[in-house]
Amino acid sequence: MATLRRIDPRLQIMTETIEGLIPGATPAALSVDVTETLAGPGERSNSWTGSPAALAQKLFTALYGRPDAGEQLSPLARAEDAKRARDLGAEVAALQQGHSDLTSAPWYPARPGDLVHVHYEAGGLSDAFGETYRVTASDGGFLSMQLLCHTLPDTEDLEGLVGCFAVDDDPDPLMELWFEAGPHRLTIVREGRPVHIGGA
């Protein structure tokens, strides 16, 4: 049975303090915007946008080092651990945080042309392998995500392992992949540049 990892109380306090800046707000609906306005013609600016948890983690890392150098889990795996521990609050929080982390990312939502690579560690069914998906516009008005290639050897049983996150005409094609595989396994490339590097 997997054990539920406890969040460092200092990180929890930082996260709750940032979320508490707007009393009564729903944490999953919050985002933090930091803007630098540069003097000069046109008043250019630089900005950073993220979830309260992402800002708290940046602050925590600057003060104390990385808060969790252990095994990374997908939002769904964290929720399942909490469910096994009979902690409904932690289960709901894991799902809300996973949704917030995706929807508050500066590159979100997915766009046609995005490439999404997912890396799978070696397990009981296969060696380590990767898949790359391409996001395309669909005829129904939403987006599709099609398997472009994979690195699983042809000698392995491909059924159920390869292409399971392909979707057709989906308003949010990354949602299932983000929750099940986890953001730490994903690399997303837009216009030739990585916009999300999992595990980094």
Coordinates of all heavy atoms in Angstrom, one line a residue, residues 67-166:
P67 N 11.1 21.2 -1.3 CA 10.3 20.6 -0.2 C 10.1 19.1 -0.4 O 9.8 18.5 0.6 CB 9.0 21.4 -0.4 CG 8.9 21.8 -1.8 CD 10.4 22.1 -2.2
D68 N 10.2 18.6 -1.6 CA 9.9 17.2 -1.7 C 10.8 16.6 -2.8 O 10.5 16.7 -4.0 CB 8.4 17.0 -2.1 CG 8.0 15.5 -2.3 OD1 8.8 14.7 -1.8 OD2 7.0 15.2 -3.0
A69 N 11.9 16.0 -2.4 CA 12.8 15.4 -3.3 C 12.5 13.9 -3.5 O 13.2 13.3 -4.2 CB 14.2 15.6 -2.8
G70 N 11.4 13.5 -2.9 CA 11.0 12.1 -3.0 C 10.3 11.8 -4.3 O 10.3 12.5 -5.2
E71 N 9.6 10.6 -4.3 CA 8.8 10.2 -5.4 C 7.7 11.2 -5.7 O 7.0 11.7 -4.9 CB 8.2 8.9 -5.1 CG 7.3 8.3 -6.2 CD 6.6 7.1 -5.8 OE1 6.5 6.8 -4.6 OE2 6.0 6.4 -6.7
Q72 N 7.6 11.6 -7.0 CA 6.5 12.4 -7.5 C 5.3 11.6 -7.9 O 5.5 10.5 -8.5 CB 7.0 13.3 -8.6 CG 8.1 14.3 -8.2 CD 8.5 15.2 -9.4 OE1 8.8 14.7 -10.5 NE2 8.4 16.5 -9.2
L73 N 4.2 12.1 -7.5 CA 2.9 11.3 -7.9 C 2.0 12.2 -8.7 O 2.0 13.4 -8.6 CB 2.2 11.0 -6.6 CG 2.9 10.0 -5.6 CD1 2.1 9.8 -4.3 CD2 3.2 8.7 -6.3
S74 N 1.2 11.6 -9.5 CA 0.2 12.3 -10.3 C -0.9 12.8 -9.4 O -1.1 12.2 -8.3 CB -0.4 11.4 -11.4 OG -1.2 10.4 -10.8
P75 N -1.7 13.8 -9.8 CA -2.8 14.2 -9.0 C -3.8 13.1 -8.6 O -4.2 13.0 -7.5 CB -3.5 15.3 -9.8 CG -2.4 15.8 -10.7 CD -1.5 14.6 -11.0
L76 N -4.0 12.2 -9.6 CA -4.9 11.1 -9.3 C -4.3 10.1 -8.3 O -5.0 9.6 -7.4 CB -5.2 10.3 -10.6 CG -6.3 9.3 -10.6 CD1 -7.6 9.8 -10.1 CD2 -6.5 8.6 -11.9
A77 N -3.0 9.8 -8.4 CA -2.3 8.9 -7.4 C -2.3 9.6 -6.0 O -2.6 8.8 -5.0 CB -0.9 8.7 -7.9
R78 N -2.2 10.9 -5.9 CA -2.2 11.5 -4.6 C -3.7 11.4 -4.0 O -3.8 11.2 -2.8 CB -1.8 13.0 -4.7 CG -0.3 13.2 -4.9 CD 0.1 14.6 -4.6 NE -0.7 15.6 -5.3 CZ -0.4 16.1 -6.5 NH1 0.6 15.7 -7.2 NH2 -1.1 17.1 -7.0
A79 N -4.7 11.6 -4.9 CA -6.0 11.5 -4.5 C -6.4 10.0 -4.0 O -7.0 9.8 -3.0 CB -7.0 11.9 -5.6
E80 N -5.8 9.1 -4.7 CA -6.1 7.7 -4.4 C -5.4 7.3 -3.1 O -5.9 6.6 -2.3 CB -5.6 6.7 -5.5 CG -6.5 6.8 -6.7 CD -6.0 6.0 -7.9 OE1 -4.8 5.6 -7.9 OE2 -6.8 5.9 -8.9
D81 N -4.2 7.9 -2.8 CA -3.5 7.6 -1.5 C -4.4 8.2 -0.4 O -4.5 7.6 0.6 CB -2.1 8.3 -1.5 CG -1.1 7.5 -2.2 OD1 -1.4 6.3 -2.6 OD2 0.1 8.0 -2.4
A82 N -4.9 9.4 -0.6 CA -5.7 10.0 0.4 C -7.0 9.2 0.6 O -7.4 9.1 1.8 CB -6.0 11.5 0.0
K83 N -7.6 8.7 -0.4 CA -8.8 7.9 -0.3 C -8.5 6.6 0.5 O -9.3 6.3 1.4 CB -9.3 7.5 -1.7 CG -10.6 6.8 -1.7 CD -11.1 6.6 -3.1 CE -12.5 6.0 -3.1 NZ -13.0 5.8 -4.5
R84 N -7.4 6.0 0.2 CA -7.0 4.8 1.0 C -6.8 5.1 2.5 O -7.1 4.3 3.4 CB -5.7 4.1 0.4 CG -6.0 3.3 -0.8 CD -4.8 2.5 -1.2 NE -3.7 3.3 -1.7 CZ -3.6 3.6 -3.0 NH1 -4.5 3.3 -3.8 NH2 -2.6 4.4 -3.4
A85 N -6.3 6.4 2.7 CA -6.1 6.8 4.1 C -7.4 7.3 4.8 O -7.4 7.8 5.9 CB -5.0 7.9 4.2
R86 N -8.5 7.3 4.0 CA -9.8 7.8 4.4 C -9.8 9.2 4.8 O -10.3 9.7 5.8 CB -10.3 6.9 5.6 CG -10.5 5.5 5.2 CD -11.1 4.7 6.3 NE -11.2 3.3 6.0 CZ -12.2 2.7 5.3 NH1 -13.2 3.4 4.9 NH2 -12.1 1.4 5.1
D87 N -9.0 10.0 4.0 CA -8.9 11.5 4.2 C -9.6 12.2 3.1 O -9.0 12.5 2.1 CB -7.4 11.9 4.3 CG -7.2 13.3 4.8 OD1 -8.2 14.1 4.6 OD2 -6.1 13.7 5.2
L88 N -10.9 12.4 3.2 CA -11.7 13.0 2.1 C -11.2 14.4 1.8 O -11.1 14.8 0.6 CB -13.2 13.0 2.5 CG -14.1 13.7 1.5 CD1 -14.1 12.9 0.2 CD2 -15.5 13.7 2.0
G89 N -10.8 15.2 2.8 CA -10.3 16.5 2.5 C -9.1 16.5 1.7 O -8.9 17.3 0.7
A90 N -8.1 15.6 2.0 CA -6.9 15.5 1.2 C -7.2 15.0 -0.2 O -6.5 15.4 -1.2 CB -5.9 14.6 1.9
E91 N -8.1 14.1 -0.3 CA -8.5 13.6 -1.6 C -9.0 14.7 -2.5 O -8.6 14.9 -3.7 CB -9.6 12.5 -1.5 CG -10.0 11.9 -2.8 CD -11.1 10.8 -2.6 OE1 -11.5 10.5 -1.5 OE2 -11.5 10.3 -3.7
V92 N -10.0 15.5 -2.0 CA -10.5 16.6 -2.8 C -9.5 17.6 -3.1 O -9.4 18.1 -4.2 CB -11.8 17.2 -2.0 CG1 -12.2 18.5 -2.7 CG2 -12.9 16.2 -1.9
A93 N -8.6 17.9 -2.1 CA -7.6 18.9 -2.3 C -6.6 18.5 -3.3 O -6.2 19.3 -4.2 CB -6.8 19.2 -0.9
A94 N -6.3 17.2 -3.4 CA -5.3 16.7 -4.4 C -5.9 16.9 -5.8 O -5.2 17.3 -6.8 CB -5.0 15.3 -4.2
L95 N -7.2 16.6 -6.0 CA -7.9 16.8 -7.3 C -8.0 18.3 -7.6 O -7.7 18.7 -8.8 CB -9.2 16.1 -7.3 CG -9.2 14.6 -7.1 CD1 -10.6 14.0 -6.9 CD2 -8.5 13.9 -8.3
Q96 N -8.4 19.1 -6.7 CA -8.5 20.5 -6.9 C -7.1 21.2 -7.3 O -7.0 22.0 -8.2 CB -9.1 21.3 -5.7 CG -10.6 21.0 -5.5 CD -11.1 21.7 -4.3 OE1 -10.4 21.9 -3.3 NE2 -12.4 22.1 -4.4
Q97 N -6.1 20.7 -6.6 CA -4.8 21.3 -6.8 C -4.3 20.9 -8.2 O -3.7 21.7 -8.9 CB -3.8 20.8 -5.7 CG -2.4 21.5 -5.8 CD -2.5 23.0 -5.6 OE1 -3.1 23.5 -4.6 NE2 -2.0 23.8 -6.6
G98 N -4.5 19.6 -8.6 CA -4.1 19.2 -9.9 C -4.8 20.0 -11.0 O -4.2 20.4 -12.0
H99 N -6.1 20.2 -10.8 CA -6.8 21.1 -11.8 C -6.3 22.5 -11.8 O -6.1 23.1 -12.9 CB -8.3 21.0 -11.4 CG -9.2 21.8 -12.4 ND1 -9.5 23.1 -12.2 CD2 -9.8 21.4 -13.6 CE1 -10.2 23.6 -13.2 NE2 -10.4 22.6 -14.1
S100 N -6.1 23.0 -10.6 CA -5.5 24.4 -10.6 C -4.2 24.5 -11.2 O -3.9 25.5 -11.9 CB -5.5 24.8 -9.1 OG -4.9 26.1 -9.0
D101 N -3.3 23.5 -10.9 CA -1.9 23.6 -11.5 C -2.0 23.6 -13.0 O -1.2 24.3 -13.6 CB -1.1 22.4 -11.0 CG -0.7 22.5 -9.5 OD1 -0.8 23.6 -8.9 OD2 -0.3 21.5 -8.9
L102 N -2.9 22.8 -13.6 CA -3.0 22.8 -15.0 C -3.6 24.1 -15.6 O -3.0 24.7 -16.4 CB -3.9 21.6 -15.5 CG -4.2 21.5 -17.0 CD1 -2.9 21.5 -17.8 CD2 -5.1 20.4 -17.3
T103 N -4.7 24.5 -15.0 CA -5.4 25.6 -15.6 C -4.8 27.0 -15.3 O -5.1 27.9 -16.0 CB -6.9 25.6 -15.2 OG1 -7.0 25.7 -13.7 CG2 -7.6 24.4 -15.7
S104 N -3.9 27.0 -14.3 CA -3.2 28.3 -14.0 C -1.8 28.3 -14.7 O -1.1 29.4 -14.5 CB -3.1 28.5 -12.5 OG -2.2 27.5 -11.9
A105 N -1.4 27.3 -15.4 CA -0.1 27.3 -16.0 C -0.1 28.4 -17.1 O -1.1 28.6 -17.8 CB 0.2 26.0 -16.7
P106 N 1.0 29.2 -17.3 CA 1.0 30.3 -18.2 C 0.8 29.8 -19.7 O 0.4 30.6 -20.5 CB 2.4 30.9 -18.0 CG 3.2 29.9 -17.3 CD 2.3 29.0 -16.5
W107 N 1.1 28.6 -20.0 CA 1.0 28.1 -21.4 C -0.4 27.5 -21.6 O -0.7 27.1 -22.8 CB 2.0 27.1 -21.7 CG 2.2 26.0 -20.6 CD1 3.1 26.0 -19.6 CD2 1.4 24.9 -20.4 NE1 2.9 24.9 -18.8 CE2 1.8 24.2 -19.3 CE3 0.3 24.3 -21.1 CZ2 1.3 23.0 -18.8 CZ3 -0.3 23.2 -20.6 CH2 0.2 22.5 -19.5
Y108 N -1.2 27.3 -20.6 CA -2.5 26.7 -20.7 C -3.5 27.7 -21.4 O -3.4 28.9 -21.2 CB -3.1 26.3 -19.4 CG -4.4 25.7 -19.4 CD1 -4.6 24.4 -19.6 CD2 -5.6 26.5 -19.2 CE1 -5.9 23.8 -19.6 CE2 -6.8 25.9 -19.2 CZ -7.0 24.6 -19.4 OH -8.2 24.0 -19.4
P109 N -4.4 27.3 -22.3 CA -4.8 25.9 -22.6 C -3.9 25.4 -23.8 O -3.1 26.2 -24.4 CB -6.2 26.0 -23.1 CG -6.3 27.4 -23.7 CD -5.4 28.2 -22.8
A110 N -4.1 24.1 -24.1 CA -3.3 23.5 -25.3 C -3.8 24.2 -26.5 O -4.9 24.8 -26.6 CB -3.6 22.0 -25.4
R111 N -2.9 24.2 -27.5 CA -3.2 24.9 -28.8 C -2.8 23.9 -29.9 O -1.9 23.0 -29.8 CB -2.3 26.1 -29.0 CG -2.6 27.2 -28.0 CD -1.7 28.4 -28.4 NE -1.7 29.4 -27.3 CZ -0.8 30.3 -27.1 NH1 0.2 30.4 -28.0 NH2 -0.8 31.1 -26.1
P112 N -3.5 24.0 -31.1 CA -3.1 23.2 -32.2 C -1.6 23.4 -32.5 O -1.1 24.5 -32.5 CB -4.0 23.7 -33.4 CG -5.2 24.3 -32.7 CD -4.7 24.9 -31.4
G113 N -0.9 22.3 -32.8 CA 0.5 22.3 -33.1 C 1.3 22.0 -31.9 O 2.5 21.7 -32.0
D114 N 0.8 22.0 -30.7 CA 1.5 21.6 -29.5 C 2.0 20.1 -29.6 O 1.2 19.3 -30.1 CB 0.7 21.8 -28.2 CG 0.5 23.2 -27.8 OD1 1.1 24.1 -28.4 OD2 -0.2 23.4 -26.8
L115 N 3.2 19.8 -29.1 CA 3.6 18.4 -29.0 C 3.7 18.1 -27.5 O 4.2 18.9 -26.7 CB 5.0 18.3 -29.6 CG 5.1 18.5 -31.1 CD1 6.5 18.4 -31.6 CD2 4.2 17.5 -31.9
V116 N 3.1 17.0 -27.1 CA 3.1 16.5 -25.8 C 3.8 15.2 -25.6 O 3.4 14.2 -26.3 CB 1.6 16.4 -25.3 CG1 1.6 16.0 -23.8 CG2 0.9 17.7 -25.5
H117 N 4.9 15.1 -24.9 CA 5.6 13.9 -24.7 C 5.4 13.4 -23.3 O 5.5 14.2 -22.3 CB 7.1 14.1 -24.9 CG 7.9 12.9 -24.7 ND1 8.0 11.9 -25.6 CD2 8.6 12.4 -23.7 CE1 8.7 10.9 -25.2 NE2 9.1 11.2 -24.0
V118 N 5.1 12.1 -23.1 CA 4.9 11.5 -21.8 C 6.0 10.4 -21.6 O 6.2 9.6 -22.6 CB 3.5 11.0 -21.5 CG1 3.1 10.0 -22.6 CG2 3.3 10.5 -20.2
H119 N 6.6 10.4 -20.5 CA 7.6 9.4 -20.2 C 7.1 8.4 -19.2 O 6.6 8.9 -18.1 CB 8.9 10.0 -19.7 CG 9.9 9.0 -19.2 ND1 10.7 8.2 -20.1 CD2 10.2 8.6 -18.0 CE1 11.4 7.4 -19.3 NE2 11.2 7.6 -18.1
Y120 N 7.2 7.1 -19.4 CA 6.8 6.1 -18.5 C 8.0 5.4 -17.9 O 8.9 4.9 -18.7 CB 5.9 5.1 -19.1 CG 4.6 5.7 -19.8 CD1 4.6 6.0 -21.1 CD2 3.5 5.9 -19.0 CE1 3.4 6.5 -21.7 CE2 2.3 6.4 -19.5 CZ 2.3 6.7 -20.9 OH 1.2 7.2 -21.5
E121 N 8.1 5.2 -16.6 CA 9.2 4.5 -16.0 C 8.9 3.0 -16.3 O 7.8 2.6 -16.6 CB 9.2 4.7 -14.5 CG 9.6 6.1 -14.1 CD 8.4 7.1 -14.1 OE1 7.3 6.6 -14.2 OE2 8.7 8.3 -14.0
A122 N 10.0 2.2 -16.2 CA 9.9 0.7 -16.4 C 8.9 0.2 -15.3 O 9.0 0.7 -14.1 CB 11.3 0.1 -16.2
G123 N 8.1 -0.7 -15.7 CA 7.2 -1.3 -14.7 C 7.0 -2.8 -15.0 O 7.7 -3.4 -15.8
G124 N 6.0 -3.4 -14.4 CA 5.8 -4.9 -14.6 C 5.5 -5.3 -16.0 O 5.8 -6.4 -16.4
L125 N 4.8 -4.4 -16.7 CA 4.4 -4.7 -18.1 C 5.3 -4.3 -19.2 O 5.3 -4.9 -20.3 CB 3.0 -4.0 -18.3 CG 1.9 -4.4 -17.4 CD1 0.7 -3.5 -17.7 CD2 1.5 -5.8 -17.6
S126 N 6.3 -3.4 -18.9 CA 7.1 -3.0 -20.0 C 8.4 -2.3 -19.5 O 8.5 -1.9 -18.3 CB 6.4 -2.0 -20.9 OG 6.2 -0.7 -20.3
D127 N 9.3 -2.1 -20.4 CA 10.5 -1.3 -20.1 C 10.1 0.2 -20.1 O 9.0 0.5 -20.5 CB 11.6 -1.5 -21.2 CG 12.1 -2.9 -21.2 OD1 12.1 -3.5 -20.2 OD2 12.5 -3.4 -22.3
A128 N 11.0 1.1 -19.7 CA 10.7 2.5 -19.8 C 10.5 2.9 -21.2 O 11.1 2.3 -22.1 CB 11.8 3.3 -19.2
F129 N 9.5 3.7 -21.5 CA 9.3 4.2 -22.9 C 8.6 5.5 -22.9 O 8.2 6.1 -21.8 CB 8.5 3.2 -23.7 CG 7.0 3.1 -23.3 CD1 6.1 3.7 -24.1 CD2 6.5 2.4 -22.2 CE1 4.7 3.7 -23.8 CE2 5.2 2.3 -21.9 CZ 4.3 3.0 -22.7
G130 N 8.5 6.1 -24.0 CA 7.9 7.4 -24.2 C 6.9 7.5 -25.3 O 7.0 6.6 -26.2
E131 N 6.0 8.4 -25.3 CA 5.0 8.6 -26.3 C 5.0 10.1 -26.6 O 5.1 10.9 -25.7 CB 3.6 8.2 -25.9 CG 3.4 6.8 -25.6 CD 1.9 6.6 -25.2 OE1 1.4 7.3 -24.3 OE2 1.3 5.7 -25.8
T132 N 4.8 10.4 -27.9 CA 4.6 11.8 -28.3 C 3.3 12.0 -29.0 O 3.0 11.2 -29.9 CB 5.8 12.3 -29.2 OG1 7.0 12.2 -28.5 CG2 5.6 13.8 -29.5
Y133 N 2.5 13.0 -28.5 CA 1.2 13.3 -29.1 C 1.2 14.6 -29.8 O 2.0 15.5 -29.3 CB 0.1 13.3 -28.0 CG -0.2 12.0 -27.4 CD1 0.6 11.5 -26.3 CD2 -1.2 11.1 -27.8 CE1 0.3 10.3 -25.7 CE2 -1.5 9.9 -27.2 CZ -0.7 9.5 -26.2 OH -1.0 8.3 -25.6
R134 N 0.4 14.8 -30.8 CA 0.3 16.1 -31.5 C -1.1 16.6 -31.2 O -2.1 15.9 -31.4 CB 0.5 15.9 -33.0 CG 0.4 17.2 -33.7 CD 0.7 17.0 -35.2 NE -0.3 16.0 -35.7 CZ -0.2 15.5 -36.9 NH1 0.8 15.8 -37.7 NH2 -1.1 14.5 -37.3
V135 N -1.3 17.9 -30.8 CA -2.6 18.5 -30.6 C -3.0 19.1 -32.0 O -2.2 19.9 -32.6 CB -2.5 19.6 -29.5 CG1 -3.9 20.2 -29.4 CG2 -2.1 18.9 -28.2
T136 N -4.2 18.8 -32.4 CA -4.7 19.4 -33.6 C -6.1 19.9 -33.4 O -6.8 19.5 -32.5 CB -4.8 18.3 -34.7 OG1 -5.6 17.2 -34.3 CG2 -3.4 17.7 -35.0
A137 N -6.5 20.8 -34.3 CA -7.9 21.3 -34.3 C -8.8 20.2 -34.8 O -8.4 19.5 -35.8 CB -8.0 22.6 -35.1
S138 N -10.0 20.0 -34.3 CA -10.9 19.0 -34.7 C -12.1 19.6 -35.5 O -12.4 20.8 -35.3 CB -11.3 18.1 -33.6 OG -12.1 18.9 -32.7
D139 N -12.8 18.7 -36.2 CA -13.9 19.2 -37.0 C -15.1 19.7 -36.1 O -15.9 20.5 -36.5 CB -14.4 18.1 -37.9 CG -13.4 17.8 -39.0 OD1 -12.5 18.6 -39.3 OD2 -13.4 16.6 -39.5
G140 N -15.1 19.1 -34.9 CA -16.2 19.5 -34.0 C -16.0 20.8 -33.2 O -16.9 21.2 -32.5
G141 N -14.9 21.5 -33.5 CA -14.7 22.8 -32.8 C -13.8 22.7 -31.6 O -13.4 23.8 -31.1
F142 N -13.5 21.6 -31.1 CA -12.6 21.5 -30.0 C -11.2 21.0 -30.5 O -10.8 21.3 -31.6 CB -13.1 20.5 -28.9 CG -14.4 21.0 -28.3 CD1 -15.6 20.3 -28.4 CD2 -14.3 22.2 -27.5 CE1 -16.7 20.8 -27.8 CE2 -15.5 22.7 -26.9 CZ -16.7 22.0 -27.0
L143 N -10.4 20.3 -29.7 CA -9.1 19.8 -30.0 C -9.0 18.3 -30.0 O -9.7 17.7 -29.2 CB -8.1 20.4 -29.1 CG -7.9 21.9 -29.1 CD1 -7.0 22.4 -28.0 CD2 -7.4 22.4 -30.4
S144 N -8.1 17.8 -30.8 CA -7.8 16.3 -30.7 C -6.3 16.2 -30.3 O -5.5 17.1 -30.6 CB -8.1 15.7 -32.1 OG -9.5 15.7 -32.3
M145 N -6.0 15.0 -29.8 CA -4.6 14.7 -29.5 C -4.3 13.3 -30.0 O -4.9 12.4 -29.6 CB -4.4 14.8 -27.9 CG -2.9 14.9 -27.6 SD -2.6 15.4 -25.9 CE -3.3 14.1 -24.9
Q146 N -3.4 13.3 -31.0 CA -3.2 12.1 -31.8 C -1.8 11.6 -31.4 O -0.8 12.4 -31.3 CB -3.3 12.3 -33.3 CG -4.6 12.9 -33.7 CD -4.6 13.5 -35.1 OE1 -3.6 13.9 -35.6 NE2 -5.8 13.6 -35.7
L147 N -1.6 10.3 -31.3 CA -0.3 9.7 -31.1 C 0.5 9.9 -32.3 O 0.1 9.5 -33.4 CB -0.5 8.2 -30.8 CG 0.8 7.4 -30.5 CD1 1.5 7.9 -29.3 CD2 0.6 5.9 -30.5
L148 N 1.7 10.5 -32.1 CA 2.6 10.7 -33.2 C 3.7 9.6 -33.3 O 3.9 9.1 -34.4 CB 3.3 12.1 -33.0 CG 4.0 12.7 -34.1 CD1 3.0 13.0 -35.3 CD2 4.6 14.1 -33.7
C149 N 4.2 9.2 -32.2 CA 5.2 8.1 -32.1 C 5.4 7.6 -30.7 O 4.9 8.3 -29.8 CB 6.6 8.6 -32.7 SG 7.3 9.9 -31.8
H150 N 6.1 6.5 -30.6 CA 6.4 5.9 -29.3 C 7.7 5.2 -29.3 O 8.2 4.9 -30.4 CB 5.3 5.0 -28.8 CG 5.1 3.8 -29.6 ND1 5.9 2.6 -29.4 CD2 4.3 3.5 -30.7 CE1 5.6 1.7 -30.3 NE2 4.6 2.2 -31.1
T151 N 8.3 4.9 -28.2 CA 9.6 4.2 -28.1 C 9.5 2.8 -27.5 O 10.5 2.2 -27.2 CB 10.6 5.0 -27.4 OG1 10.1 5.2 -26.0 CG2 10.8 6.3 -28.0
L152 N 8.3 2.3 -27.4 CA 8.1 0.9 -26.9 C 8.5 -0.1 -27.9 O 8.1 0.0 -29.1 CB 6.6 0.7 -26.5 CG 6.3 -0.6 -25.7 CD1 7.0 -0.5 -24.3 CD2 4.8 -0.8 -25.5
P153 N 9.4 -1.0 -27.6 CA 9.9 -2.0 -28.7 C 8.7 -2.8 -29.2 O 7.7 -3.1 -28.5 CB 10.8 -2.9 -27.9 CG 11.2 -2.1 -26.7 CD 10.1 -1.2 -26.4
D154 N 8.8 -3.1 -30.5 CA 7.7 -3.8 -31.2 C 7.5 -5.2 -30.6 O 6.4 -5.8 -30.8 CB 8.0 -3.9 -32.7 CG 7.9 -2.6 -33.4 OD1 7.2 -1.7 -32.8 OD2 8.5 -2.4 -34.4
T155 N 8.5 -5.7 -29.9 CA 8.3 -7.1 -29.3 C 7.4 -7.0 -28.1 O 7.0 -8.1 -27.6 CB 9.7 -7.6 -28.8 OG1 10.3 -6.6 -27.9 CG2 10.6 -7.8 -30.0
E156 N 7.1 -5.9 -27.5 CA 6.2 -5.8 -26.4 C 4.8 -5.8 -26.8 O 4.4 -5.4 -28.0 CB 6.5 -4.5 -25.6 CG 7.9 -4.3 -25.2 CD 8.1 -4.4 -23.7 OE1 7.2 -4.7 -23.0 OE2 9.3 -4.2 -23.3
D157 N 3.9 -6.1 -25.9 CA 2.4 -6.1 -26.2 C 2.0 -4.7 -26.2 O 2.0 -4.0 -25.1 CB 1.7 -6.9 -25.2 CG 0.2 -6.9 -25.4 OD1 -0.3 -6.5 -26.5 OD2 -0.5 -7.3 -24.5
L158 N 1.6 -4.1 -27.3 CA 1.3 -2.7 -27.4 C -0.2 -2.4 -26.9 O -0.5 -1.2 -26.6 CB 1.4 -2.2 -28.8 CG 2.8 -2.4 -29.4 CD1 2.8 -1.8 -30.9 CD2 3.9 -1.7 -28.6
E159 N -1.0 -3.4 -26.9 CA -2.4 -3.1 -26.6 C -2.6 -2.6 -25.2 O -2.1 -3.2 -24.2 CB -3.3 -4.4 -26.7 CG -4.7 -4.2 -26.6 CD -5.6 -5.4 -26.9 OE1 -5.1 -6.3 -27.6 OE2 -6.7 -5.5 -26.4
G160 N -3.2 -1.4 -25.1 CA -3.5 -0.8 -23.8 C -2.3 0.0 -23.2 O -2.5 0.7 -22.3
L161 N -1.1 -0.1 -23.9 CA 0.0 0.7 -23.4 C 0.2 1.9 -24.2 O 0.6 3.0 -23.7 CB 1.3 -0.2 -23.4 CG 1.4 -1.3 -22.4 CD1 2.7 -2.1 -22.5 CD2 1.3 -0.7 -21.0
V162 N 0.1 1.8 -25.5 CA 0.4 2.9 -26.4 C -0.8 3.6 -26.9 O -1.8 3.0 -27.3 CB 1.3 2.4 -27.6 CG1 1.5 3.4 -28.6 CG2 2.6 1.8 -27.0
G163 N -0.8 4.9 -26.9 CA -1.9 5.7 -27.4 C -3.1 5.9 -26.6 O -4.1 6.3 -27.1
C164 N -3.0 5.5 -25.3 CA -4.2 5.5 -24.5 C -4.7 6.9 -24.1 O -5.8 7.0 -23.7 CB -4.0 4.7 -23.2 SG -2.7 5.3 -22.1
F165 N -3.9 7.9 -24.4 CA -4.3 9.3 -24.1 C -4.7 10.1 -25.3 O -5.0 11.3 -25.2 CB -3.2 10.0 -23.3 CG -3.0 9.5 -21.9 CD1 -1.9 8.8 -21.6 CD2 -4.0 9.6 -20.9 CE1 -1.7 8.3 -20.3 CE2 -3.8 9.1 -19.7 CZ -2.6 8.4 -19.3
A166 N -4.8 9.4 -26.4 CA -5.3 10.1 -27.6 C -6.8 10.4 -27.4 O -7.5 9.6 -26.9 CB -5.1 9.2 -28.9

